[in-house]
């Protein structure tokens, strides 16, 4: 085979491997975010698909594992035939699906790379076209490739990849994501993320007026200045607006706090120079209640030290009352957009500490700390140190060192496997 063709096959293989590894990894560190995205898809696609919403978390784990293991197998030449055909089936399914999503726009973004790299629906479709072309070329010209590792070594490596990714996903589900790509990450000064720069592009709309005459309706495009040229024989029916081009949208564009019986206190909270506790629960009716005693104790601590404490939620009044009855909560409740709450912290409930509009720390309900002294004198009152580079390096070496150890032991594993087979015979 032509040497250039072989090089191109390897290039396609490793680019596909890198794409699937990256996609699986960024989803694995935020499995709840992937769950929310799958729920959005099911809700957007209609009543039949809504039946699968309760299965979204399990499906997210399956999707994460499938993508990552495909990339892992492509990288190390494991199960070459099975992997290349599964890759082709995946791309043959995803490409027309993303075309439909781009045309119909049921969700704002695909979520294919989580929050680490947000693509709009058309960008996702174009990306999948490129991946499909590479996959077709790889499947067509990769017959010369053969595994360089023994079958038992390849099996152990594949199982290690599956188990490792599952453990990472479960850790990030029962705690918080080890990497936070969202606009409310620790260290964020919220007001700054809400600013629209001067001269930023604005949303562009097309306005259409609908008139009726002799039982027939006709649409007239409004030019922005003059009304449609119709006489009195036409009857106005409707006015429609269509978004032509999306303008600039700040990273945080829907953060607000509506306190019960008071009103909007967003500015007051963000401009407070002291500490403020925000208990986040996107839906109180779905909140984990076994930590209620600890949360009530933190609220008492906040009262004793003069720190505002608000429970931000998007639940109905009846659900709030039920929550109060079940938990004995005495803290004030404030209404916030549901999607915003799910974005702030991947926990229901989760606790956020802010000061002067800056996110200092966030806690999953499984990791609530013991507050025993004023925050001014406590390490808990300081901004949590975040080292994303260190985290990525730790995960990288924790995963790939054992993988390369298995590769180094390939000959030994091969001999052990042969010995076991001979004994059985």
């Amino acid at each position: 085979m032509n040497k250039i063709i072989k090089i191109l096959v390897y290039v396609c293989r490793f680019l596909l491997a890198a794409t699937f590894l990256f996609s699986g990894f960024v989803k694995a560190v935020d499995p709840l975010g992937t769950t929310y995205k799958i729920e959005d898809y099911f809700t957007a696609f209609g009543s039949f698909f809504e039946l699968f919403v309760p299965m979204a978390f399990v499906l997210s784990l399956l999707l994460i594992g499938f993508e990552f293991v495909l990339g892992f197998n492509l990288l190390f030449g494991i199960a070459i035939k099975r992997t290349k055909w599964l890759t082709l089936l995946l791309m043959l399914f995803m490409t027309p699906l993303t075309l439909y999503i781009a045309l119909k726009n049921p969700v704002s973004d695909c979520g294919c790379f989580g929050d680490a790299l947000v693509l709009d629906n058309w960008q996702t479709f174009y990306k999948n076209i490129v991946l499909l072309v590479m996959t077709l070329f790889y499947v067509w010209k990769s017959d010369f490739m053969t595994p360089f590792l023994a079958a038992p070594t390849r099996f152990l490596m594949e199982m290690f990849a599956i188990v490792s990714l599952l453990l990472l996903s479960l850790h990030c589900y029962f705690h918080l994501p080890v990497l936070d790509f969202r606009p409310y990450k620790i260290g964020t000064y919220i007001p700054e993320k809400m600013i629209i720069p001067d001269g930023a592009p604005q949303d562009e709309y097309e306005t259409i007026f609908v008139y009726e005459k002799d039982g027939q309706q006709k649409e007239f495009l409004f030019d922005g200045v003059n009304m449609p040229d119709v006489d009195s024989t036409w009857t106005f029916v409707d006015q429609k607006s269509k978004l032509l081009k999306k303008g600039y949208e700040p990273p945080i564009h829907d953060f607000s706090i509506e306190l019960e019986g008071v009103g909007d206190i967003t500015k007051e909270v963000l401009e407070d120079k002291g500490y403020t506790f925000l208990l986040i629960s996107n839906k109180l009716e779905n909140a984990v209640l076994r930590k209620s005693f600890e949360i009530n104790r933190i609220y008492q601590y906040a009262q004793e030290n003069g720190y505002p404490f608000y429970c931000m939620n998007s639940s109905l009044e009846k659900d709030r009352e039920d929550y109060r009855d079940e938990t004995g909560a005495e803290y004030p409740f404030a209404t916030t957009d549901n999607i915003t709450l799910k974005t702030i912290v991947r926990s229901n409930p989760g606790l956020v500490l802010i000061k002067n509009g800056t996110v200092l720390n966030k806690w999953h309900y499984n990791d609530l700390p013991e507050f025993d002294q004023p925050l001014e004198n406590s390490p808990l009152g300081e901004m949590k140190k975040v080292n994303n580079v260190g985290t990525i390096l730790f995960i990288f070496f924790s995963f790939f060192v054992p993988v390369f150890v298995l590769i180094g032991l390939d000959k030994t594993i091969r001999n052990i496997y042969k010995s076991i087979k001979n004994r059985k015979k």
Side-chain angles (χ1 to χ4, degrees):
M1 184 182 292
N2 189 305
K3 187 176 180 180
I4 295 178
I5 296 295
K6 285 188 175 183
I7 292 174
L8 289 175
V9 171
Y10 276 106
V11 168
C12 289
R13 169 181 157 182
F14 291 130
L15 285 176
L16 288 168
T19 301
F20 289 126
L21 284 171
F22 177 70
S23 179
F25 173 72
V26 295
K27 290 188 181 79
V29 297
D30 187 13
L32 200 52
T34 306
T35 301
Y36 292 148
K37 181 57 66 175
I38 291 175
E39 290 176 349
D40 290 343
Y41 275 114
F42 285 153
T43 302
F45 287 154
S47 56
F48 171 76
F49 290 95
E50 288 179 358
L51 298 174
F52 298 96
V53 168
M55 301 169 57
F57 176 64
V58 174
L59 292 173
S60 73
L61 291 181
L62 292 174
L63 175 63
I64 291 167
F66 182 67
E67 283 190 329
F68 188 85
V69 172
L70 273 185
F72 182 80
N73 287 359
L74 284 165
L75 181 63
F76 290 102
I78 298 172
I80 292 176
K81 287 186 178 181
R82 166 165 52 91
T83 299
K84 72 180 181 181
W85 289 113
L86 285 175
T87 303
L88 179 60
L89 286 174
L90 176 64
M91 295 315 305
L92 288 175
F93 172 76
M94 293 302 299
T95 305
L97 176 63
T98 51
L99 174 60
Y100 170 81
I101 292 170
L103 292 171
K104 299 296 183 180
N105 203 36
V107 293
S108 58
D109 68 89
C110 70
C112 50
F113 297 125
D115 289 302
L117 179 60
V118 178
L119 303 177
D120 65 35
N121 292 330
W122 280 110
Q123 289 172 333
T124 301
F125 171 66
Y126 299 143
K127 178 261 298 180
N128 283 346
I129 287 291
V130 174
L131 293 179
L132 178 59
V133 170
M134 288 195 297
T135 303
L136 288 169
F137 182 74
Y138 174 65
V139 170
W140 179 36
K141 292 292 185 179
S142 64
D143 289 340
F144 70 91
M145 290 187 174
T146 56
F148 69 96
L149 296 169
T153 306
R154 298 198 303 270
F155 174 78
L156 289 175
M157 289 174 62
E158 194 171 23
M159 290 302 102
F160 175 77
I162 293 171
V163 172
S164 298
L165 201 73
L166 178 63
L167 291 176
L168 175 62
S169 296
L170 291 177
H171 174 81
C172 294
Y173 177 77
F174 288 110
H175 303 279
L176 292 180
V178 294
L179 295 170
D180 193 349
F181 302 107
R182 289 157 292 147
Y184 297 93
K185 58 181 176 286
I186 291 172
T188 296
Y189 179 52
I190 297 176
E192 183 180 53
K193 296 291 185 179
M194 300 171 69
I195 296 173
I196 299 178
D198 293 336
Q202 302 293 316
D203 289 347
E204 295 180 14
Y205 289 91
E206 178 182 76
T207 303
I208 297 173
F209 288 94
V210 181
Y211 284 84
E212 183 176 334
K213 180 179 180 181
D214 299 331
Q216 293 186 342
Q217 293 186 358
K218 186 176 180 180
E219 295 184 348
F220 296 86
L221 182 63
F222 178 50
D223 62 9
V225 179
N226 302 308
M227 293 296 291
D229 185 17
V230 294
D231 56 39
S232 59
T233 60
W234 291 87
T235 304
F236 175 78
V237 176
D238 194 12
Q239 176 182 332
K240 298 185 292 185
S241 293
K242 179 182 177 182
L243 180 64
L244 297 178
K245 185 178 180 181
K246 183 69 177 174
Y248 175 82
E249 186 175 78
I252 297 177
H253 54 274
D254 47 12
F255 183 85
S256 65
I257 307 174
E258 291 281 337
L259 186 62
E260 276 186 326
V262 176
D264 191 340
I265 60 168
T266 309
K267 185 176 180 181
E268 175 187 332
V269 170
L270 293 180
E271 292 180 354
D272 193 327
K273 302 298 182 182
Y275 295 99
T276 300
F277 284 100
L278 302 176
L279 181 67
I280 308 296
S281 175
N282 62 300
K283 291 291 183 183
L284 291 168
E285 56 271 29
N286 298 331
V288 174
L289 302 181
R290 57 185 172 85
K291 295 291 182 176
S292 300
F293 178 76
E294 291 181 48
I295 292 171
N296 291 342
R297 191 165 56 193
I298 294 172
Y299 172 61
Q300 292 175 357
Y301 159 85
Q303 279 193 310
E304 292 168 0
N305 289 275
Y307 307 134
F309 187 111
Y310 306 104
C311 176
M312 296 168 60
N313 66 93
S314 62
S315 298
L316 299 174
E317 185 175 350
K318 177 184 180 302
D319 294 316
R320 289 197 206 110
E321 293 303 321
D322 291 341
Y323 179 85
R324 284 191 177 102
D325 293 339
E326 291 185 69
T327 63
E330 298 180 352
Y331 37 79
F333 287 79
T335 302
T336 302
D337 177 72
N338 179 46
I339 295 177
T340 299
L341 295 171
K342 290 192 290 188
T343 305
I344 293 174
V345 62
R346 301 298 201 207
S347 177
N348 187 13
L351 187 65
V352 178
L353 179 65
I354 68 172
K355 183 180 182 182
N356 194 27
T358 300
V359 179
L360 299 184
N361 212 332
K362 299 197 284 189
W363 295 276
H364 192 281
Y365 60 77
N366 284 325
D367 304 309
L368 294 174
E370 189 71 34
F371 294 94
D372 53 7
Q373 56 182 316
L375 290 172
E376 290 80 1
N377 305 322
S378 169
L380 293 173
E382 300 174 2
M383 184 183 299
K384 180 183 177 181
K385 294 181 180 179
V386 178
N387 184 359
N388 288 335
V389 174
T391 300
I392 292 172
L393 289 175
F394 174 79
I395 295 172
F396 179 86
F397 285 108
S398 298
F399 180 78
F400 281 103
V401 167
V403 168
F404 285 109
V405 168
L406 285 172
I407 293 174
L409 294 174
D410 179 51
K411 188 174 181 180
T412 303
I413 295 171
R414 188 194 306 259
N415 291 334
I416 293 172
Y417 180 69
K418 285 181 178 179
S419 176
I420 293 172
K421 285 185 70 176
N422 291 334
R423 287 184 181 182
K424 286 183 177 181
K425 288 180 180 179

